[in-house]
Amino acid sequence: MKKIVHTLSFTAAAVLVATGCSNISAAQASTPIVKPAPLVSIPTHDAFFEHLRAHCGKAYEGQVSVNNPVSSGFEGRLIMHVRKCSENELQIPFHVGDNHSRTWILTKTGSGISLKHDHRMPDGSYDELTMYGGHTVDAGFENSQSFPVDQYSKELFAALGIPASNTNIWQMYIYPEEFTYRLIREGREFRVDFDLTTPVDLPPTPWGYADE
């Protein structure tokens, strides 16, 4: 008789758990879990992004270390400003003397990191050549990432008559003492190195952006 009672008790408990009546109300059991789709990432991309984000709010001076063949347009003081940062986007204006037209935009996409070049006119309107850039295609490293040209940029370059840029690869390196922006393609290399050991005064607001 004892064995029969124990069996009945176990069966009743199992039924309660299976029907959601054990410590869970019917309302709780029927309420769906609502969450936004996760933005996935990998450790090397996360680490690279966070190394840059750690400098948020600071500006640094740089110098052209490679410009081959020599191209004009980068005369004057070179300042990068890690100006605006969120968990998934970094806005980094690149000032060249009195030219405040350039802003690098790094964005986590769920498939890696996108690099875009937002170019503006002095009145804030978009330059004809703007939002070109590339996207990571591999894991890279926590201190360096490469951004091969994306399809939007290839079509833009072709439309503007500069198809040589269709093989562009942009690279960024960040170490405790230096940040590097580099462009390479067949027959062209451009590189700017920024000293991260000595912050400088913040530059003006980039063209097309609001004062903050």
Side-chain angles (χ1 to χ4, degrees):
M1 181 61 70
K2 288 183 178 180
K3 290 183 179 180
I4 294 175
V5 171
H6 289 321
T7 301
L8 290 173
S9 298
F10 177 81
T11 301
V15 170
L16 287 172
V17 172
T19 58
C21 295
S22 179
N23 299 321
I24 301 177
S25 69
Q28 288 175 316
S30 63
T31 301
I33 297 174
V34 179
K35 291 185 177 182
L39 183 64
V40 296
S41 192
I42 61 174
T44 49
H45 292 162
D46 289 339
F48 174 83
F49 195 89
E50 291 305 316
H51 287 328
L52 263 172
R53 192 162 77 135
H55 294 276
C56 199
K58 297 180 180 178
Y60 303 96
E61 187 167 0
Q63 60 181 1
V64 175
S65 55
V66 181
N67 187 13
N68 184 28
V70 175
S71 176
S72 62
F74 292 92
E75 298 76 28
R77 195 178 184 207
L78 308 180
I79 303 292
M80 66 170 281
H81 177 197
V82 188
R83 183 172 182 267
K84 189 172 182 180
C85 312
S86 69
E87 290 185 3
N88 301 317
E89 183 180 277
L90 303 176
Q91 295 179 4
I92 307 174
F94 173 36
H95 302 265
V96 180
D98 294 327
N99 186 322
H100 310 297
S101 65
R102 303 172 176 89
T103 297
W104 301 322
I105 301 176
L106 288 162
T107 308
K108 287 186 176 182
T109 66
S111 297
I113 302 175
S114 164
L115 167 65
K116 289 291 185 178
H117 299 73
D118 183 359
H119 284 198
R120 304 294 184 100
M121 304 301 289
D123 65 356
S125 60
Y126 296 114
D127 192 294
E128 184 179 33
L129 181 63
T130 192
M131 295 310 286
Y132 63 87
H135 196 286
T136 57
V137 295
D138 56 25
F141 301 92
E142 69 171 90
N143 297 109
S144 64
Q145 293 292 334
S146 293
F147 307 89
V149 62
D150 59 30
Q151 188 61 35
Y152 166 80
S153 304
K154 290 180 181 180
E155 296 188 21
L156 178 64
F157 295 149
L160 295 179
I162 47 175
S165 297
N166 282 354
T167 58
N168 280 5
I169 299 175
W170 294 273
Q171 297 175 329
M172 287 183 169
Y173 308 86
I174 181 163
Y175 294 94
E177 297 183 353
E178 187 174 74
F179 171 80
T180 294
Y181 169 90
R182 184 183 186 219
L183 164 66
I184 56 173
R185 65 171 178 262
E186 185 174 356
R188 173 68 172 149
E189 179 179 4
F190 176 78
R191 173 172 175 154
V192 185
D193 298 315
F194 296 87
D195 178 9
L196 299 183
T197 65
T198 308
V200 298
D201 292 340
L202 299 184
T205 300
W207 297 340
Y209 285 76
D211 293 332
E212 294 179 357

